[in-house]
Amino acid sequence: MAKARAKARRPGKAAKKKVAKTPKRSKPAKPAKAAKMAKTAKRAKSARAAKPTKRPQAGKPAPSPKRTEPAVAAKRKPAAPAKSAAPPSAAQSYKPLKAPQHPKPGLEAASPFEMRVNLAKDLPETDVQTALDSGDMGFLHSFTTGSTVDGPGVRVVAWTTGCQWRCRYCHNPDTWTMRNGYPVSVANATAELRKYSQGLKVMNGGLTISGGEPLMQHRFVVKVFDAAKKMGVHTTIETNGFLGERLSDEDLTKIDLVMLGVKAWGGELHKELTGRDNGPTLEFGRRLAKLKKKIWVRFVLVPSLTDDLDDVGKIAEYAASLGNVERVEVLPFHQMGRFKWRELGIRYHLEDTKPPSAELVEQACAVFRAAGLEAH
Ligand code: SF4
């Protein structure tokens, strides 16, 4: 999650086909498809700007001269045919282009580095609590598509809001607060995922739920994973593991892979770094090992903070002892989230910290490899 996101792209060809077909529509869009059309609006807009008359003809046989705009224009004054003679194309009359004027951003984001606050500010507390208790509704900062760094293959990633940790290097502090996210029903999240499900399967990818800390709203997460499994979509959770005990063994059957953040080994350092103990995280890892649930360990390497190689060695020893750790990802600290701390007015301790050198990253990877683990 600390790595830069891959460029957003649609997993399958279906979305592109929809965009191409949009201009053919003569009826208003069905409500169920409106959200998808809204997401393709940007592309429709730029395509229209580049080729305003050719795009609607794509894939069609050559039209009759009577119907072409130039032919009509030739019979009239050459200066003003387009406005008066040609009816607006479907793309030109496409209403969701008003969406950018909406005060809230769309749920889909180019990357989780978009700053988002107060999206559920006015929701009554009882509604928030009811949502968390039932799991029928959750809170999402955003979702992104086309990620290749948040689990195997190509992923759709849902970024939840709410986290009880305060990691000094957190690059998404706007996800700490639940109410900074959109309230999203399980039904809507499932419908959104369904659009990508075929493409995700073809590209050996799946759904990843990250955050924030997803287990802050574990009932919602489990319900969405359950729906994903029913579609045959691979499921991954990225978690700090602190609330792992909230998941029953039955819940864990709906999760194919756990990306477990292990931030530091020493208890004191861990507390200074995150504000919490690492005991529950390490215990969750052991429980996953007993269940033979696959784990990818994620470790963020921060110069002068988590780069003590003896400490790294202890994490490596722990990870190797589990027997179910498929790989370790050493994530170099970066400053892409610094602007969020500034904008939120939170004191940022790592203002002047530089990313680790390639040599230091390699040294940390070597420590994990020496323990018999695959490390990247
Ligand atoms: S666990 Fe740490 S890095 Fe992850 S969202 Fe919470 S504070 Fe940020």
Side-chain angles (χ1 to χ4, degrees), residues 277-325:
D277 292 329
N278 60 359
T281 300
L282 302 178
E283 195 44 47
F284 184 50
R286 292 185 190 105
R287 180 174 160 220
L288 293 173
K290 280 189 199 139
L291 294 169
K292 301 195 185 319
K293 183 69 58 186
K294 282 181 190 167
I295 293 179
W296 287 11
V297 166
R298 290 194 135 183
F299 170 70
V300 181
L301 185 64
V302 190
S304 305
L305 193 57
T306 65
D307 60 349
D308 183 315
L309 295 183
D310 287 340
D311 209 52
V312 176
K314 294 200 175 97
I315 296 174
E317 207 176 300
Y318 160 78
S321 74
L322 296 179
N324 59 330
V325 174

Side-chain angles (χ1 to χ4, degrees), residues 106-128:
L107 185 57
E108 183 172 2
S111 90
F113 294 104
E114 288 183 14
M115 175 83 154
R116 297 183 169 204
V117 292
N118 292 332
L119 299 178
K121 179 172 62 102
D122 300 325
L123 202 65
E125 182 56 33
T126 48
D127 289 5
V128 174

Side-chain angles (χ1 to χ4, degrees), residues 87-102:
S89 69
Q92 282 170 321
S93 60
Y94 184 49
K95 300 300 182 197
L97 286 176
K98 280 186 176 176
Q101 295 167 10
H102 196 278

Side-chain angles (χ1 to χ4, degrees), residues 2 168-169 300-303 331-335 348 350 353-356:
R168 291 197 170 192
Y169 53 64
V300 181
L301 185 64
V302 190
L331 308 176
F333 166 75
H334 60 71
Q335 289 285 14
Y348 184 45
L350 306 183
T353 303
K354 302 270 186 283

Side-chain angles (χ1 to χ4, degrees), residues 1-7 110-113 144 147 149-150 159 171:
M1 127 189 189
K3 289 183 179 176
R5 304 296 133 195
K7 292 168 203 158
S111 90
F113 294 104
T144 52
S147 169
V149 295
D150 295 294
W159 305 94
H171 57 227

Side-chain angles (χ1 to χ4, degrees), residues 180-243:
N180 279 353
Y182 274 112
V184 178
S185 68
V186 171
N188 283 348
T190 304
E192 198 59 38
L193 179 63
R194 185 165 284 115
K195 295 176 191 170
Y196 301 101
S197 58
Q198 289 309 318
L200 292 173
K201 283 185 250 181
V202 168
M203 289 181 280
N204 299 317
L207 168 69
T208 297
I209 302 186
S210 182
E213 172 46 54
L215 295 183
M216 290 284 286
Q217 31 185 318
H218 68 289
R219 292 199 172 93
F220 170 76
V221 165
V222 168
K223 284 187 176 183
V224 175
F225 277 150
D226 185 43
K229 293 304 294 173
K230 283 175 180 154
M231 286 180 226
V233 170
H234 181 275
T235 56
T236 295
I237 187 169
E238 184 184 2
T239 174
N240 62 34
F242 191 76
L243 300 175

